[in-house]
Amino acid sequence: MSSHAKPAVGHADVPRHVAIIMDGNGRWAKRRLMPRVAGHRKGVEALRGVIRACAERGVSHLTVFAFSSENWRRPQEEVTLLMELFMRALENEVAKLHENGIRFRVIGDLSGFTERIQALIRDAEALTRDNTRLTFTVAANYGGRWDVVQAVKKLLASGVGVDDIDEAALANHLSMAGEPEPDLFIRTGGEQRISNFLLWQLAYTELYFTDALWPDFDARQLDAAIASYRTRERRFGRTSEQVQSAS
Ligand code: IPE
Ligand code: IPE
Ligand code: MG
């Protein structure tokens, strides 16, 4: 077992790190005959509630997929509205996150964003960097494959020898370096796929899929996901007997 995986044997009651693909905003709006952006706006509200619920439950890391590197393929108008929404959220929500002891991070290729958004991200990260209650990470212009490629580039640039390349060395250059790997992955919106989210880090994560659309996802649904997580036996390749005798 490589050192960065640090598996908790068996299962803990509350997942330390929850990673979420917040999907279904567009369909939520469509069902109400509203424009897709109304679903994204409602999605920001849902996220506010889930951040609070995670903090209350003692989750220490929450990572959400807000915009994939493939989402640029959407109609220009939707992309523009999503960027505006992201900017407004950065302007309006960060102070509250800070008041609540939340450390805020963004992972992804930030060069794809406007200077204004990049500056807001830098300021928010600097303001909240010493907070310890919950680390809240937004994946924006993020792709799991992009992350592996940029890590390999950094690793090679560091002058590392071929024989020194191992899983830990590569993991040290990924966007989530130093953070625990997700224990629980949640995808709303009914699709059962990873869509290029945290490919490397999800290797041993417990997966949970729900048909609930993201704007409808709330603390009660989070509890259902955590309840499902609690029933899982995390074996990390071992036998059930080994896991039980170790715990
Ligand atoms: C997720 O909701 C939000 C983003 C990808 C930005 P969608 O916009 O993908 O909603 P659906 O899947 O079309 O319902
Ligand atoms: C995944 O949702 C990305 C985000 C939620 C930001 P998509 O709606 O883009 O995923 P696909 O296209 O259905 O796989
Ligand atoms: Mg979608």
Side-chain angles (χ1 to χ4, degrees):
M1 178 71 60
S2 60
S3 61
H4 64 274
K6 288 187 207 97
V9 175
H11 60 80
D13 267 1
V14 175
R16 188 153 64 134
H17 184 174
V18 177
I20 306 180
I21 295 186
M22 310 180 292
D23 197 19
N25 294 349
R27 280 163 283 166
W28 184 94
K30 194 172 175 194
R31 281 182 198 172
R32 287 165 180 74
L33 305 176
M34 291 157 95
R36 292 179 58 86
V37 68
H40 297 316
R41 269 194 213 105
K42 220 34 198 179
V44 175
E45 278 179 42
L47 179 55
R48 227 180 261 137
V50 168
I51 296 169
R52 189 182 316 116
C54 282
E56 286 168 0
R57 282 154 186 73
V59 170
S60 65
H61 291 72
L62 170 67
T63 304
V64 301
F65 208 3
F67 192 85
S68 77
S69 39
E70 290 73 33
N71 286 145
W72 298 107
R73 297 175 184 158
R74 293 193 175 195
Q76 182 58 47
E77 183 193 276
E78 178 167 349
V79 171
T80 304
L81 289 168
L82 278 167
M83 289 304 139
E84 264 169 41
L85 200 60
F86 188 30
M87 196 170 74
R88 298 278 164 264
L90 286 164
E91 287 169 344
N92 299 327
E93 310 284 341
V94 170
K96 268 174 277 172
L97 294 177
H98 185 49
E99 268 170 42
N100 286 295
I102 295 168
R103 173 168 162 248
F104 174 75
R105 296 188 63 225
V106 178
I107 57 168
D109 182 3
L110 301 190
S111 70
F113 297 113
T114 61
E115 271 304 324
R116 169 84 182 136
I117 289 182
Q118 292 184 45
L120 285 165
I121 291 170
R122 277 195 301 272
D123 290 351
E125 288 183 338
L127 176 71
T128 64
R129 61 178 301 152
D130 295 325
N131 294 339
T132 55
R133 187 172 179 213
L134 171 73
T135 295
F136 169 53
T137 304
V138 173
N141 195 20
Y142 178 88
R145 290 177 177 176
W146 164 84
D147 201 1
V148 172
V149 170
Q150 68 80 29
V152 169
K153 284 185 174 171
K154 279 190 198 155
L155 193 58
L156 293 181
S158 75
V160 70
V162 174
D163 292 338
D164 294 324
I165 297 179
D166 58 12
E167 292 181 13
L170 184 64
N172 273 337
H173 292 87
L174 291 167
S175 307
M176 296 292 281
E179 313 286 338
E181 290 171 5
D183 301 297
L184 171 63
F185 161 96
I186 299 170
R187 181 172 186 145
T188 62
E191 313 298 346
Q192 305 198 353
R193 56 178 171 248
I194 304 292
S195 297
N196 202 15
F197 195 24
L198 303 163
L199 296 180
W200 175 282
Q201 296 85 347
L202 291 173
Y204 266 105
T205 303
E206 297 299 328
L207 306 179
Y208 180 86
F209 298 95
T210 169
D211 288 335
L213 302 175
W214 176 251
D216 293 326
F217 193 85
D218 58 13
R220 202 171 48 86
Q221 315 226 20
L222 176 70
D223 286 336
I226 293 176
S228 168
Y229 170 80
R230 284 196 180 118
T231 67
R232 317 278 180 99
E233 181 180 62
R234 305 189 71 191
R235 291 193 284 276
F236 297 100
R238 297 184 186 84
T239 66
S240 186
E241 288 71 20
Q242 285 176 302
V243 171
Q244 276 160 26
S245 67
S247 65

